[in-house]
Amino acid sequence: MNFHPNGQLSPEGQRSQVRRTGLLNADISEDRPASGGSKRLYFVEQGPECLFVSIKDGRASHDDFQGLCEELWTLLQRHLVKRLFLDLTNVDCLSSLLIGQLISLKIRLEKRDGMLCLCGLSTRNQHVLAIHNLESRLPNYPSRYDAIMGNSNH
């Protein structure tokens, strides 16, 4: 297994662990360009009855996150799943726009017995959610593996 110097499982090790546990079927290789055109805002992998979405560029512009809820909802419908694991490890700062998008998506999913789990939020971003009393509404897990297994540190 691959570990970071701090003793945590590296992202490659997490993906390997998830594959070994049978929780990841295939990379569906969908990504959307950020407003700059060449950079990708996120990529998507499909697991059994769920999607894993990782934001790739946390410094994306405000406009890049506009419509994120609708795009992710469309992906969930296209792949006939109701569970979304959203990896925000690369997001430097949770903006009010992004928080609003996440809440909107969470509400849509809950109305259809779905779920949204966040993972990889920085301590700073966890604090942003806590300030707004959203940490229970938008549960965060230390890693994608922890989110899948329901192991929380929140």
Side-chain angles (χ1 to χ4, degrees), residues 15-150:
R15 282 193 277 282
S16 174
Q17 180 68 21
V18 170
R19 283 189 189 100
R20 278 199 293 284
T21 59
L23 296 172
L24 180 62
N25 285 345
D27 179 355
I28 57 177
S29 299
E30 293 192 31
D31 26 286
R32 175 173 75 83
S35 61
S38 61
K39 286 187 175 182
R40 299 294 184 189
L41 180 61
Y42 60 77
F43 64 89
V44 181
E45 296 171 282
Q46 186 171 12
E49 300 179 21
C50 66
L51 289 181
F52 303 99
V53 175
S54 297
I55 303 294
K56 292 172 69 173
D57 186 0
R59 292 171 298 201
S61 74
H62 186 269
D63 293 337
D64 289 328
F65 290 116
Q66 187 70 36
L68 181 65
C69 170
E70 193 60 41
E71 286 183 35
L72 294 177
W73 181 252
T74 301
L75 279 173
L76 289 163
Q77 289 182 313
R78 184 181 319 145
H79 295 286
L80 305 172
V81 296
K82 297 188 285 187
R83 296 185 312 150
L84 176 64
F85 296 93
L86 186 58
D87 185 346
L88 299 173
T89 302
N90 295 323
V91 174
D92 294 333
C93 181
L94 281 178
S95 67
S96 58
L97 173 68
L98 182 53
I99 292 170
Q101 294 284 312
L102 296 175
I103 293 292
S104 294
L105 185 58
K106 173 90 171 173
I107 290 168
R108 285 176 100 169
L109 281 163
E110 285 177 345
K111 285 181 181 177
R112 289 158 183 86
D113 297 321
M115 71 172 210
L116 170 65
C117 288
L118 307 180
C119 63
L121 281 177
S122 67
T123 303
R124 176 182 174 194
N125 286 333
Q126 290 176 40
H127 185 66
V128 169
L129 289 182
I131 287 172
H132 298 289
N133 294 318
L134 293 172
E135 65 270 18
S136 64
R137 189 88 171 108
L138 293 169
N140 174 60
Y141 296 86
S143 68
R144 182 164 78 171
Y145 179 77
D146 290 318
I148 294 164
M149 300 309 240

